[in-house]
Amino acid sequence: MQSPDASEAAMVRAWLEAVERPEVSDRLDAIYTMIADQVTARSPVCVASGRCCNFESYGHRLYVTGLEAAWCVRRLADDSPPLTIDSVLAAKARGGCPFQVGTLCGVHTIKPVGCRTYFCDPTSQTWQENLTERAHEMVRGLHRSSGAPYRYMEWRALLAWFSAVA
């Protein structure tokens, strides 16, 4: 993982500033509420095993937009796992998320779209893919309407940028 260059650091600052604006923050809140409502209606099974947070062994990657990452980073609580370049690198080395605590998500209430819509429940595949695409398009639209630059990147790589700039 490399540090962001000057233009990438400028994007991080733009995303952090954007999520401070009520119209951006409120819209992300609304998207996340829509996801929660859809998930509640489907009642997928989650056994809280934490396997989905161990990207390497589970065989997948988490991709997020700049606004999603900024929203999460701005809302990290004092009791959340700290975001440092060392925590990001350690998570990458073990194959997982820097916010995983044991088998649980340490940022459950502020996690990005991909985490909110993914369930290992095999009966969830079709609807969760559709929900993820719909929510992602809404977030992409928020990037456009807010004037925030759009990037869709692997979670840990983007968090490394934030840890270097924030």
Side-chain angles (χ1 to χ4, degrees), residues 9 27 122-124 161:
R27 185 66 188 131
T123 67
S124 299
W161 285 11

Side-chain angles (χ1 to χ4, degrees), residues 44-63:
V45 174
C46 175
V47 294
S49 66
R51 289 187 306 257
C52 57
C53 300
N54 193 329
F55 310 128
E56 306 301 330
S57 68
Y58 209 65
H60 66 214
R61 295 283 182 275
L62 173 61
Y63 285 83

Side-chain angles (χ1 to χ4, degrees), residues 15-22 24-25 74-75:
W15 294 324
L16 290 168
E17 290 170 10
V19 297
E20 292 298 320
R21 297 193 323 251
V24 174
S25 181
R74 279 288 194 230
R75 283 156 181 76

Side-chain angles (χ1 to χ4, degrees), residues 6 11-12 25 33 36 40 42 45 48 50 53 62 64 66 83 87-88 91-92 105 121-122 133 155-157 161 165:
M11 280 193 286
V12 168
S25 181
T33 297
T40 298
R42 300 287 186 159
V45 174
C53 300
L62 173 61
V64 302
L83 177 63
S87 68
V88 175
K92 184 150 177 72
C105 177
D121 181 344
E133 290 299 319
W155 177 234
R156 295 166 298 188
W161 285 11
V165 173

Side-chain angles (χ1 to χ4, degrees), residues 18-151:
V19 297
E20 292 298 320
R21 297 193 323 251
E23 68 274 11
V24 174
S25 181
D26 291 350
R27 185 66 188 131
L28 274 173
D29 282 333
I31 293 166
Y32 293 155
T33 297
M34 179 276 298
I35 293 169
D37 291 346
Q38 293 295 309
V39 168
T40 298
R42 300 287 186 159
S43 300
V45 174
C46 175
V47 294
S49 66
R51 289 187 306 257
C52 57
C53 300
N54 193 329
F55 310 128
E56 306 301 330
S57 68
Y58 209 65
H60 66 214
R61 295 283 182 275
L62 173 61
Y63 285 83
V64 302
T65 70
L67 286 178
E68 290 177 88
W71 193 86
C72 178
V73 167
R74 279 288 194 230
R75 283 156 181 76
L76 286 173
D78 291 338
D79 60 347
S80 298
L83 177 63
T84 64
I85 191 62
D86 290 340
S87 68
V88 175
L89 292 173
K92 184 150 177 72
R94 56 171 198 275
C97 179
F99 298 120
Q100 186 175 12
V101 179
T103 61
L104 300 175
C105 177
V107 294
H108 185 75
T109 61
I110 59 173
K111 62 190 178 184
V113 166
C115 297
R116 292 170 186 271
T117 60
Y118 182 81
F119 293 88
C120 55
D121 181 344
T123 67
S124 299
Q125 298 305 309
T126 301
W127 70 262
Q128 75 182 1
E129 289 172 13
N130 293 335
L131 178 58
T132 301
E133 290 299 319
R134 181 173 156 217
H136 177 76
E137 192 52 42
M138 293 169 82
V139 173
R140 179 181 238 170
L142 180 57
H143 274 266
R144 281 189 300 270
S145 67
S146 69
Y150 176 78
R151 280 286 173 98

